[in-house]
Structures are given as C-alpha cells and as structure tokens.
Amino acid sequence: MTPFEKIDKLIKENNEVAVPLMRKLGLTPQIYSNWKRGKASPSTDAIVKIAEYFNVSTDYILTEKETANEIKSLSPTEQTMLNCFRGLKTSEQSECIDFCNYLLSKHK
C-alpha cells in the first residue's frame, strides 16, 4: 500500500471527509487531489500531521506494515469520542476531561 492509500484508508475508517480534514490540518484540498491522481506524494510534513491526527505512527503510513498502532484497539464509540475530542479547542478539551472525571467520581 502506498502512503496515499494508507492515508485514504485512515480517512475512511475514521468516517472523516478528506477535504474538510485537509483544511483542518492546514493542508489544501488540491494537495489531496494531487495525491489521489498520483501527481504528487504526501510530504513529510503532511504525513506527520496526519499521523498525529489519527494517532498512528509515521512508520504505519510509510511502510508496508498493515496495522495501525493503538487506533485499531478502539471501539467505534471510542474512535468517535477521540475524533470529537480532537476537534475541540484546548480549553474545551480541559472541560471535557473535567466532566469525564466528574462522571467517574460518581461511580466510586
């Protein structure tokens, strides 16, 4: 699998849409289109951003290894929660963590 195929697979597996994701990561939709048509390959910077976003190693994207690291062990609900969390501002992430801790404290 090529790096683009791995990236495309990650996008699909995580129910993301390529164009908005590229914008969210500071990449242009045209770059993704060029990758898809084989006119360009993902840059190192793009691979790093995508790997960090999906919580996979750059090795996963760049090599023939077929399994992503920890993202595969998450349930669909956990993946949804993680993707939502990543879409929040830092202050909102802190609020989310506080709320989760509150919920956990109710079960002690």
Side-chain angles (χ1 to χ4, degrees):
M1 226 182 245
T2 67
F4 168 75
E5 290 169 332
K6 293 273 184 88
I7 291 167
D8 197 48
K9 181 179 175 184
L10 285 167
I11 290 169
K12 289 175 182 168
E13 286 178 347
N14 288 280
N15 299 313
E16 292 282 350
V17 179
V19 171
L21 177 62
M22 292 301 113
R23 287 188 179 121
K24 186 187 288 188
L25 297 176
L27 305 168
T28 66
Q30 185 65 36
I31 284 176
Y32 181 82
S33 176
N34 287 341
W35 297 345
K36 190 171 187 171
R37 293 184 319 218
K39 292 191 174 209
S41 296
S43 68
T44 303
D45 182 55
I47 289 170
V48 169
K49 287 179 181 182
I50 292 165
E52 287 175 352
Y53 182 83
F54 287 114
N55 193 33
V56 298
S57 69
T58 54
D59 284 348
Y60 169 73
I61 294 173
L62 293 169
T63 67
E64 291 299 312
K65 295 177 189 172
E66 287 300 319
T67 56
N69 56 13
E70 298 183 28
I71 196 83
K72 290 289 186 185
S73 65
L74 299 177
S75 71
T77 301
E78 290 169 325
Q79 288 180 22
T80 300
M81 289 180 67
L82 180 58
N83 288 333
C84 289
F85 184 82
R86 288 178 174 164
L88 299 173
K89 296 176 186 172
T90 304
S91 61
E92 294 167 330
Q93 288 177 345
S94 294
E95 289 178 38
C96 185
I97 292 168
D98 290 343
F99 183 69
C100 287
N101 286 331
Y102 164 75
L103 291 175
L104 289 170
S105 72
K106 290 175 41 175
H107 297 285
K108 289 183 180 180

